[in-house]
Amino acid sequence: MNLLFVAGVVITVLTAIPVILQLRTHPRGLFVLFFAEMWERFSYYGMRGLLIFYLTQHFLFDDSFAQGQYGAYTALVYLVPLIGGLVADRWLGTRKAVLFGAILLVVGHLTMGWEGRPATQTLEFAGHKYEFTATGRMENRSVCLNTGAGCYPVAPAPDGGLEIKGLAAGGALPQVLVKGSYAFGVEKRDPVTSNVMYLALSLIIMGVGFLKPNISSIVGQLYAEDDPRRDPGFTLYYYGINLGAFWASLACGWLGLNVGWWAGFGLAGIGMALGFVVFLLGRPLLQGKGEPPDPVLLKKKVAGPIHIEGMIYILGLAGTGVVWLLVQRYQAVGWMLGAGSIAVLSYIAWFMVAKCNRMQRERLALAMILVVGWMVFEILFEQAGSSLNQFAERNTQSHLFGVPVSAPQTQSFNAGWILIFAPAFAFLWAWLGRRNLDPNPMVKFGLALLQVGAGFGILVWGAQFADASWRTPMVFLALAYLLHTTGELCLSPVGLSEMTKLAPMGLLSTLMAVWFLGASWAQYLAAIVAKLTAQETVAGQVLDPKAALHTYVHVFGLIGLWGAGAGLVFLALSPWLKKWAHAHEHVG
């Protein structure tokens, strides 16, 4: 732990010094937003790194169900901000929306800290029921079967049955249980605890919906349109996001592994509370930005003593109940996404035919192609919190060059690489731009897809170096995240910017909605991919690590080829599709 945190401090100091020096030349309000969003991301990534393990080891949900729940959660996290942004623009204003969202997030994250009683795995054989005893969390978890005469580890038998290791012959249980002669079950899964967990996730989803789109909006409001500090200001803000994610993965991951679920989730809640305090106390530095568009209208009574502002908060809390129902139903989220997509895409198709000239249609078509490319990238990239997180726990050595690194702490790799390489990429794009060599968006998207696919190829390659416990060296996972990160740095500075450039007049908000809808779809589809890696587990521990590694290698190899193939398609089509941007023509 100590060496890992020392390395984290070194990375932070070396990368933060130039950031702090630059912050001094920007509006003081950026300092407030920088730290508020840093702590918000600390809370989100701290919780995200633990969630899949909490579902599979505390509640003993099977892999497929847990990955579906994780996908429903992350899909809604990207979908609800559409509502939060609309409410802020029309009535509430971005500052009040951020405060309301922050309160929901604090309550949600702290509620996640209430563990309750863990579920119990059982084995039924010949009319008798036996309980498994589980201690520890994640890669430190140890599971054994209580037979009455002792507690024994289990493993898969060669014929597909179950072997009870070390069990003496002649007891009520044979040393090897024939396949089909026994059944696993789960008991003592407390419905109150699971409902509290879903309530916490719902509060977090709604909180992100109000906070995430609106705090970024305030950053833009601090600068005039022609202020040269505008783009560097967003770059500094982006650094704060990743600094929060980096330290959340290290700190919350360590607490979750070594102290308890409550400690990891609780620290995430404390981080969000700090973000709320920073934003609340920093209001004078925001220069009056982010206030309601019509304060008088906001105070208008709509139901007895309740004014519009109060009604928005009431409806926001009521919406949490709707989200509570949805987050438990992965398929329902898919149907909702499908209905929303049909409606939005039908409107865009009508707009292209009825309202656009040829140039506008081509620009809009290019925007749709970029959305699809971004969705493919995100489906692979967002395996981080689910299948890659479980791969780190099940089939990856728990140290990097001798330094202990737990599975949730590997979530820090992406953010850490960004802290290190983002300045280099910013310099690279600026250097190429001054020489008219900056690649067009199709090329950047193609490069991003190639790299995210290659990252999974690295993991497939690394599997041949697995040890006797079927664990691959962690350096391969770190290299995979490096390629995913460089891919992200090729794509992330381009995506939303291109949407604003390619949108015809009167369609910008709709196109931004399509972008976020695509993000939500990507999270939903990422869960389907993660389900392909599902393993049989006993009390949250993989029964057959060898079979698990083979499954991960197969799935990672397959999606790696998908990503690389999509990247090659984008690169091949780039010479033709870049013309659709009509970059040097008047749009009209």
Side-chain angles (χ1 to χ4, degrees):
M1 169 203 166
N2 290 335
L3 286 176
L4 182 62
F5 276 74
V6 168
V9 170
V10 171
I11 291 172
T12 301
V13 170
L14 293 178
T15 59
I17 289 175
V19 170
I20 293 172
L21 292 175
Q22 289 182 64
L23 276 172
R24 297 169 59 188
T25 66
H26 286 260
R28 295 175 68 191
L30 181 63
F31 182 87
V32 174
L33 301 174
F34 175 97
F35 281 98
E37 179 64 356
M38 181 190 76
W39 284 115
E40 186 274 329
R41 289 291 89 182
F42 182 96
S43 68
Y44 177 79
Y45 280 94
M47 190 275 288
R48 191 188 80 155
L50 299 172
L51 181 57
I52 194 71
F53 302 122
Y54 189 52
L55 293 171
T56 55
Q57 294 187 351
H58 185 76
F59 292 101
L60 300 186
F61 293 132
D62 63 62
D63 273 11
S64 184
F65 182 82
Q67 287 154 352
Q69 298 295 277
Y70 179 87
Y73 164 69
T74 53
L76 290 168
V77 159
Y78 279 87
L79 189 62
V80 174
L82 290 173
I83 301 172
L86 175 64
V87 170
D89 287 343
R90 293 286 300 275
W91 298 288
L92 200 56
T94 50
R95 184 185 62 82
K96 288 178 178 287
V98 168
L99 284 173
F100 181 56
I103 292 171
L104 294 177
L105 281 165
V106 171
V107 176
H109 282 295
L110 292 178
T111 302
M112 282 292 294
W114 189 61
E115 289 184 24
R117 184 182 65 232
T120 301
Q121 184 87 59
T122 61
L123 181 144
E124 189 168 350
F125 176 78
H128 296 280
K129 191 175 290 185
Y130 305 87
E131 289 190 356
F132 286 89
T133 296
T135 57
R137 290 162 296 279
M138 292 163 275
E139 60 264 34
N140 285 353
R141 195 167 181 84
S142 176
V143 175
C144 60
L145 178 64
N146 254 311
T147 65
C151 204
Y152 302 92
V154 297
D159 66 348
L162 188 72
E163 178 187 357
I164 306 174
K165 293 187 172 183
L167 182 67
L173 278 168
Q175 293 172 319
V176 176
L177 306 183
V178 178
K179 185 178 181 180
S181 66
Y182 61 94
F184 291 123
V186 175
E187 294 184 352
K188 302 178 184 177
R189 185 183 289 151
D190 183 9
V192 174
T193 302
S194 60
N195 283 322
V196 168
M197 185 265 293
Y198 286 125
L199 174 62
L201 293 179
S202 303
L203 288 165
I204 292 169
I205 290 167
M206 189 62 69
V208 171
F210 274 90
L211 186 146
K212 186 64 178 172
N214 295 309
I215 194 168
S216 301
S217 175
I218 301 176
V219 175
Q221 294 174 44
L222 293 175
Y223 302 90
E225 288 293 334
D226 58 349
D227 192 330
R229 299 176 299 169
R230 185 182 183 89
D231 286 348
F234 272 98
T235 301
L236 298 175
Y237 177 73
Y238 187 61
Y239 175 90
I241 290 174
N242 286 283
L243 185 63
F246 177 71
W247 277 104
S249 302
L250 294 182
C252 297
W254 186 86
L255 286 171
L257 178 71
N258 294 287
V259 180
W261 305 112
W262 66 270
F265 291 134
L267 182 60
I270 292 171
M272 188 60 247
L274 290 172
F276 172 76
V277 170
V278 168
F279 188 80
L280 187 65
L281 297 180
R283 178 184 178 183
L285 300 180
L286 298 180
Q287 306 168 11
K289 305 298 182 183
E291 295 305 314
D294 189 345
V296 176
L297 175 64
L298 199 59
K299 297 302 179 183
K300 182 181 178 181
K301 300 291 178 61
V302 290
I306 302 175
H307 43 61
I308 290 178
E309 182 176 355
M311 182 60 70
I312 289 172
Y313 299 144
I314 292 171
L315 291 175
L317 292 173
T320 301
V322 176
V323 173
W324 179 82
L325 292 172
L326 287 172
V327 77
Q328 301 178 59
R329 295 164 174 83
Y330 174 72
Q331 297 296 336
V333 174
W335 285 108
M336 184 177 66
L337 285 172
S341 298
I342 291 171
V344 172
L345 294 177
S346 297
Y347 174 72
I348 289 178
W350 170 83
F351 191 95
M352 290 176 71
V353 173
K355 299 288 186 180
C356 295
N357 57 36
R358 182 185 65 83
M359 183 191 306
Q360 291 170 327
R361 278 194 292 271
E362 290 181 349
R363 288 166 63 88
L364 195 50
L366 178 59
M368 294 296 100
I369 292 171
L370 293 178
V371 169
V372 171
W374 183 63
M375 284 176 58
V376 175
F377 179 86
E378 284 290 290
I379 290 169
L380 274 62
F381 184 81
E382 287 298 332
Q383 293 302 307
S386 54
S387 66
L388 281 176
N389 212 6
Q390 290 180 307
F391 175 74
E393 181 253 330
R394 296 167 174 175
N395 291 109
T396 303
Q397 295 170 7
S398 56
H399 57 84
L400 181 63
F401 303 123
V403 179
V405 182
S406 68
Q409 288 179 323
T410 63
Q411 298 290 292
S412 68
F413 289 166
N414 170 239
W417 288 130
I418 286 178
L419 296 181
I420 294 169
F421 285 105
F425 270 76
F427 172 81
L428 174 64
W429 300 137
W431 185 84
L432 291 172
R434 288 194 297 268
R435 289 159 178 77
N436 294 320
L437 296 174
D438 192 18
N440 69 68
M442 287 290 293
V443 170
K444 287 183 178 180
F445 271 53
L447 292 173
L449 288 163
L450 279 173
Q451 289 171 91
V452 75
F456 285 103
I458 289 286
L459 295 176
V460 173
W461 175 45
Q464 65 182 302
F465 300 100
D467 60 20
S469 300
W470 306 102
R471 293 181 176 272
T472 62
M474 187 171 283
V475 64
F476 292 100
L477 185 60
L479 290 173
Y481 275 117
L482 172 59
L483 285 169
H484 288 191
T485 302
T486 53
E488 179 188 5
L489 291 171
C490 286
L491 185 147
S492 61
V494 177
L496 285 173
S497 175
E498 285 301 307
M499 295 303 105
T500 62
K501 294 175 184 177
L502 297 172
M505 188 68 67
L507 202 68
L508 176 57
S509 295
T510 303
L511 204 55
M512 297 301 284
V514 170
W515 183 267
F516 281 103
L517 190 63
S520 191
W521 263 118
Q523 300 292 333
Y524 183 84
L525 296 173
I528 294 178
V529 172
K531 284 171 178 280
L532 298 176
T533 68
Q535 299 297 312
E536 184 179 14
T537 58
V538 176
Q541 189 177 59
V542 167
L543 187 61
D544 189 347
K546 178 181 178 180
L549 181 60
H550 288 165
T551 300
Y552 284 119
V553 167
H554 172 71
V555 174
F556 290 166
L558 188 62
I559 62 177
L561 290 174
W562 291 350
L568 291 174
V569 169
F570 267 69
L571 292 175
L573 294 178
S574 172
W576 291 275
L577 291 181
K578 71 177 183 179
K579 300 174 184 177
W580 287 8
H582 298 278
H584 303 293
E585 301 177 50
H586 178 63
V587 179

